[in-house]
Amino acid sequence: MAVLTIAAREFRATFNSTIGWLVLAAFLFLNGVFFLMWLTYFAEASAQFSGGAYGDVQLLLSEQLFAPFYGNVATILLFICPALSMRMFAEERSQRTLELLLTSPISTAEIVLGKFLGALGFVTVLLAGLLYGPLLLWWWSTPDIGALVTGNLALFLVAASTIAIGALFSSFTDNQITALVVTVSVCLALYIIGAVGDQDSIWGQISILSHIDDLFLGGIRLSDVSYFVGLIGVFLFATHQKVESYRWS
Amino acid sequence: MQFISKWSWIFAVVGAFFGAIAVVLYMVIGELGTVGTLLLVAGGSLFIAWAVFDKDNVQAGLSTKQFRYGSGSVVVTALAIMLAVGTLVVTTRHDVSWDLGRAGRFSLSEMSAQTAQGLQEEVSVLAFFPEGSLDEQLFRRLMESYQGETDLLSVDFVDPDSSPILAADNDITNAYGTVILQAGNRSQRMESEFGEESFTNTLIRLFSAEDYRLCWSTGHLEIDPDDDQTAGGLGFAVLKLEGRNYSVTKSSILTDGIDAACDAVIVAAPQRDWEVAEREALAEYIAGGGKALLMIEPRSVPELSADIERYGVILGNDLVQDPEVRGQAIDVADKAFVIVLPEEMALHPITEQLNGPVLLGASRTVAAARGVQGYVLHELMIGSDESWGETNFERNPLEDPLAWQPNLDTERVGSVPLMVASIIADPLVLGTVSPDMAGGLVPGGAVVVAGTADFARNDLYVRGANQDLFENIIGWLVDDEAPLAPGPSGEGDELYLDFVRLSIAVLTAVIILPGLAVLLAMIAAVRRRFQ
């Protein structure tokens, strides 16, 4: 229960601030531009090939529009999520309210989970703001609902992972900018590290990108899900250990 | 000694640095090697040196509360990481996938799934790949998909370098990979392509009761079945057939006659006319229950074209024109390039499963004879409502496009027939059967006559439903029990974006929704100011 109370408090705090809404506006605008870009590209290609009527080119909204668009969204989340997570513990430490929180009858796990879910709730609102895309396309064409569901699941998992990573680095410092820079750097490394080897190499297994490709196209692999669950679990657990250390340091 | 103790932390830093390099080397190369081992030993030695020289500080540090709690924390976090990595390794090796997409990118095609589900006895697959290679990983995933459809498929992966004796026993010479399928005494090998289509074809071939032999007529400037390099060759089509249980052999009917062992004769766009003896040899072969695919180009081989009437098929001496110019969608603006849509195809085993258009090319009309007895005739496809068979080859549509109209009195106009399948129910209708053939007449001979070979050319073969059409014709002729080509899977999405729709998208995506968020930001700011 305490988890939900903390999550609701964090969620409300974000939307009570001007910054929260401005982040939402910037997120929607940027992704709106990308969406329009892919939409017009697909429409032109569709007109050129008559939707694959001649067989050699088979255009699918899920593959030629939403997959690259969601790729753009994931890249933007790479910067938005660390900006959300940077204040989680760094702000509490700089304002010296963490001690207050730790002396309250709430466990460290509840604090960490509550803050994580609060930030994740905000990101969920951001992602929900992009649902106009599938809805418009559902009105005008026949998008692949299954691929759209898995594509949004991929974005949700990427956001959750990035917030979990950000939570750990926020717990290490009282400087939000430091937390932001380190988190973005680590997430960026996790994105691009797959380029070092092929998808089945150790680098590909570490990389976030190689675990979202299939999801964007409608395929859910147990290994991809376990990657994200493991990533989120490890970073939240490490955050818990770090915050817990403030009790006895 | 004090000096060493004071600066001994440098040993720890350098030791950690060496250790990190060794780990990175291991991750990049896949093994430590001499350099990596030396670095690891040097790093460990430096760490021990630090602990020895700075013994007092290290002991004091180890006994602090922070260290005791902190080391415990590090250990449990390391355990959590190991648990996560272990889970990832296990799930990667025994991956399970669900395909929610309509395109079926992560599941087998209908034909492959049917083939796997139809297995009646156990098939063991011995896959020789270098361990960890990309081909091995992809083939492993493919096998997981097949094993999801049947319990009768077992797979063993073998690294030829690790098991050289087993590799030698199986004559493995390909360093990149070889797959051997075995069922009872039968076996088949895959040595180059390891994809889904290739595996399904090999599986079909493994259980096929017989191999089909196709005889390719030569000696009249026909299209070369071995030409898979030029646009006009038919090599792709032949390679695809050979990938299944077909063999293609060239033969000259004039010198060798037609071997009764031929399951079908293919005549691919001859440019030099046939001799009487050759035409009679073909007729005798068909009368004996033989099968043939005759692809006769416009304005070629007039005597053979006329002779084909004995099979109940009339070849027009014309060139089909289509004012709809459907080829524009594939950058072919030629009115004589015929494209046939699925709704213009007959409900016949050859064409009924085709769910894409056929890019036929430049064709002559091919019609079933009317009011004739002894045949079962099917016109397989027709042109558009506006198509016609132009008989004046001297006219040039580029010179006078407006006058490019059919001659309603002399030319076949509207929905012109383009391909015919003929079954010879009564071999006597073929007429010129020699007396020694009288006892060998077998009803059921068949020919498929097309007014062009363009649709099977290398440059058009993989487009539209052309490959399916060609393979279905051959499969129907030889009575192949293997599933016929299923046609392209799924359909593409179409999106038409007019001004209104584009305006709605622009307004929603970059004005209304972001604007609403900015408005709410302003409201939040005002509320905070007045709170």
Side-chain angles (χ1 to χ4, degrees), chain B residues 420-463:
Chain B
V420 171
S422 169
I423 299 173
I424 314 301
D426 178 7
L428 290 173
V429 298
L430 297 181
T432 58
V433 178
S434 60
D436 58 331
M437 273 289 294
L441 295 180
V442 179
V447 294
V448 172
V449 184
T452 179
D454 285 355
F455 68 98
R457 277 178 0 203
N458 293 337
D459 61 338
L460 294 179
Y461 192 65
V462 294
R463 307 186 78 168

Side-chain angles (χ1 to χ4, degrees), chain A residues 201-218:
Chain A
S201 67
I202 190 165
W203 308 107
Q205 291 298 319
I206 294 171
S207 171
I208 286 178
L209 274 182
S210 61
H211 290 281
I212 56 176
D213 286 348
D214 289 354
L215 284 164
F216 283 162
L217 301 176

